[in-house]
């Protein structure tokens, strides 16, 4: 099997390069053009008020990012356009993000953006206009098999691998996806050096790490401004009230800091968020060992190719920058049932679990419920 661009690799492709204004997408567009493809750059305007998005050289969605992308396209020598997808982004990403937190879940907006915006709205428009592929600066690989099907694999450099946030792509979308940086075993400094050699002004631009639509990086403040103040109780595992909060939506499972609990636990050890109940607006806290999860159920599975048949052993990733853990998984009645070989912590409903078979991305699903070790022991 070999890595290949979409469609017939022997001919130049019409490629739409999504250019965020950062260094990765600029180098990806440059590489696609250098490979002989007919490349057009496009920057996605994702806010009706770009000034409300994060400012500074973050490489995402501000006015200055649009200008950086345009300058990069000029240097590469490709046409460039700005497409307004603000309404779609608000509905599919921002509103979903708020609703998930309001329901006591912990979403990942980057996965939703890739699923609904970059490889749905953008890809659909690109194909309608006659483009063969959408090119991005993600670090991942599309592999073409002998039977003509495609697989998504981790990037050659695990330190920069971004396959987790692409685990929502199906085979049809992979057939029109191009990731020119995925097979590059280089450091980020070398990517920046390449950008500098190419004369791209974004060579030294800092990476974007935060949620693009939260201008100041204050997620709790952003949610409070949309959902309002909602005072409630912080309780321990016995149900005893030990503190208060201004909104259960401001907490995530496994959180330790910012709990504002007035007195320490009897054993003097730190306490963590164990449960968030939007029904009674209560946050439950307890010891770290109470976070141990041994199994989970995930919904809305999306497969990067054919769905697996029967139970299987995989590795799983639970966060964009998290490590791998061994699991057994089986699809039952449209839900993914997962059991961990060793207990894991910080697992929250709303997060994505992405399954891997070696470097191959099998697929992803949204965590709906978890089973903790204490619950499994009690049941047994």
């Amino acid at each position: 099997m070999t890595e290949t661009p979409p469609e017939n690799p022997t001919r130049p492709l019409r490629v739409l390069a999504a250019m965020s204004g950062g260094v990765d997408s600029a180098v990806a567009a440059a590489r696609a053009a250098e490979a002989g493809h007919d490349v057009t750059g496009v920057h996605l305007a994702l806010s009706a008020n770009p000034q409300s998005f994060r400012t500074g050289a973050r490489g995402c969605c501000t006015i200055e990012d649009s200008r950086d992308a345009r300058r990069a396209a000029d240097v590469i020598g490709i046409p460039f356009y700005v497409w307004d997808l603000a309404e779609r982004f608000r509905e599919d990403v921002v509103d979903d993000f708020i609703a998930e937190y309001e329901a006591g879940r912990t979403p990942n907006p980057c996965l939703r953006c890739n699923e609904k915006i970059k490889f749905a709205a953008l890809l659909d428009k690109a194909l309608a206009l006659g483009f063969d592929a959408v090119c991005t600066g993600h670090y991942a690989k599309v592999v073409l098999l002998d039977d003509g099907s495609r697989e998504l694999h981790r990037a050659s450099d695990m330190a920069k691998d971004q396959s987790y946030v692409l685990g929502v792509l199906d085979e049809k979308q992979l057939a029109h996806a191009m990731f020119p940086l995925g097979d590059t075993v280089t450091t980020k400094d070398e990517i920046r050096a390449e950008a500098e050699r190419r004369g791209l002004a974004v060579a030294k631009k800092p990476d974007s790490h935060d949620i693009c639509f939260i201008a100041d990086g204050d997620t709790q403040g952003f949610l409070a401004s949309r959902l309002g103040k909602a005072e409630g109780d912080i309780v321990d595992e016995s149900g005893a009230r030990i503190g208060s909060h201004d909104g259960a939506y401001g907490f995530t499972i496994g959180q330790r800091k910012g709990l504002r609990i007035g007195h320490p636990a009897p054993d003097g050890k730190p306490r963590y968020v164990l449960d968030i109940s939007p029904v009674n607006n209560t946050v439950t806290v307890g010891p770290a060992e109470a976070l141990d999860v041994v199994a989970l159920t995930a919904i809305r599975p999306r497969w990067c190719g054919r769905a697996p048949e029967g139970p299987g052993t995989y590795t799983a990733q639970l966060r964009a920058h998290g490590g791998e853990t061994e699991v057994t998984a089986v699809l039952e009645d449209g839900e993914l049932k997962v059991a961990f070989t060793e207990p894991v912590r910080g697992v929250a409903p709303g997060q994505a679990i992405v399954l891997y078979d070696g470097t191959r991305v099998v697929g992803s699903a949204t965590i709906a419920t978890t089973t903790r070790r204490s619950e499994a022991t009690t049941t047994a």
Side-chain angles (χ1 to χ4, degrees):
M1 57 185 182
T2 58
E3 184 186 7
T4 180
E7 306 301 334
N8 185 347
T10 62
R11 68 172 177 86
L13 306 175
R14 288 195 67 206
V15 175
L16 188 69
M19 301 181 70
S20 67
V23 62
D24 290 331
S25 61
V27 171
R31 287 186 177 184
E34 189 174 63
H37 300 302
D38 179 8
V39 180
T40 297
V42 63
H43 179 81
L44 303 183
L46 300 179
S47 173
N49 178 21
Q51 290 89 339
S52 70
F53 279 35
R54 176 171 294 280
T55 58
R58 305 298 299 181
C60 192
C61 311
T62 67
I63 289 176
E64 65 189 88
D65 295 319
S66 173
R67 292 168 180 165
D68 287 342
R70 182 179 296 278
R71 283 191 286 266
D74 288 344
V75 171
I76 299 168
I78 59 176
F80 178 83
Y81 301 91
V82 176
W83 285 1
D84 183 359
L85 293 180
E87 183 175 354
R88 179 74 179 266
F89 183 78
R90 177 184 58 78
E91 293 174 353
D92 289 342
V93 180
V94 180
D95 289 352
D96 174 80
F97 178 85
I98 296 169
E100 286 292 283
Y101 266 102
E102 187 176 22
R105 297 185 286 266
T106 305
N108 185 313
C110 293
L111 272 85
R112 185 52 59 93
C113 183
N114 284 329
E115 176 187 356
K116 298 291 187 178
I117 304 300
K118 293 177 183 174
F119 292 96
L122 177 62
L123 179 57
D124 289 348
K125 188 172 181 178
L127 295 177
L129 292 172
F131 287 94
D132 299 305
V134 165
C135 162
T136 73
H138 287 100
Y139 290 86
K141 293 193 293 186
V142 176
V143 171
L144 178 66
L145 303 182
D146 294 338
D147 63 2
S149 63
R150 286 172 173 79
E151 296 176 344
L152 178 65
H153 283 249
R154 288 193 182 277
S156 298
D157 184 353
M158 278 289 293
K160 297 199 297 292
D161 175 64
Q162 292 176 306
S163 60
Y164 174 85
V165 296
L166 297 170
V168 292
L169 305 186
D170 59 27
E171 188 176 350
K172 181 179 178 181
Q173 292 167 323
L174 291 176
H176 300 283
M178 183 182 291
F179 307 121
L181 306 188
D183 202 31
T184 304
V185 187
T186 56
T187 66
K188 188 57 177 279
D189 286 342
E190 289 172 316
I191 290 293
R192 293 189 182 283
E194 179 179 339
E196 194 162 7
R197 289 195 303 271
R198 294 180 181 275
L200 300 172
V202 292
K204 297 181 180 179
K205 188 173 182 177
D207 291 336
S208 176
H209 297 290
D210 303 304
I211 299 171
C212 67
F213 53 84
I214 300 181
D216 58 3
D218 179 8
T219 300
Q220 188 167 350
F222 172 84
L223 291 170
S225 69
R226 269 77 178 168
L227 298 174
K229 188 175 182 179
E231 294 183 359
D233 294 334
I234 298 177
V235 301
D236 63 18
E237 291 179 284
S238 71
R241 183 182 184 277
I242 58 175
S244 64
H245 62 77
D246 294 329
Y249 53 75
F251 297 85
T252 57
I253 301 296
Q255 179 179 335
R256 174 185 174 185
K257 297 181 179 179
L259 301 183
R260 297 182 298 175
I261 299 173
H263 54 278
D267 59 8
K269 294 182 180 180
R271 284 179 286 202
Y272 300 78
V273 174
L274 304 181
D275 185 59
I276 302 162
S277 176
V279 175
N280 57 15
N281 198 25
T282 298
V283 176
T284 303
V285 299
E289 55 268 22
L291 287 169
D292 287 345
V293 169
V294 295
L296 61 79
T297 297
I299 58 175
R300 297 192 297 274
R302 291 178 62 88
W303 307 110
C304 300
R306 186 166 52 188
E309 298 178 3
T313 300
Y314 308 95
T315 56
Q317 189 170 328
L318 300 164
R319 301 176 192 81
H321 304 290
E324 292 179 293
T325 184
E326 187 175 277
V327 302
T328 57
V330 62
L331 190 64
E332 295 181 355
D333 299 323
E335 295 183 338
L336 189 66
K337 307 291 186 179
V338 178
F340 294 94
T341 302
E342 297 290 338
V344 296
R345 292 179 179 176
V347 184
Q351 290 176 333
I353 178 171
V354 177
L355 299 181
Y356 292 84
D357 181 5
T359 64
R360 179 174 70 89
V361 183
V362 178
S364 70
T366 302
I367 298 170
T369 61
T370 62
T371 301
R372 295 198 172 119
R373 178 159 55 182
S374 56
E375 297 168 335
T377 302
T378 301
T379 303

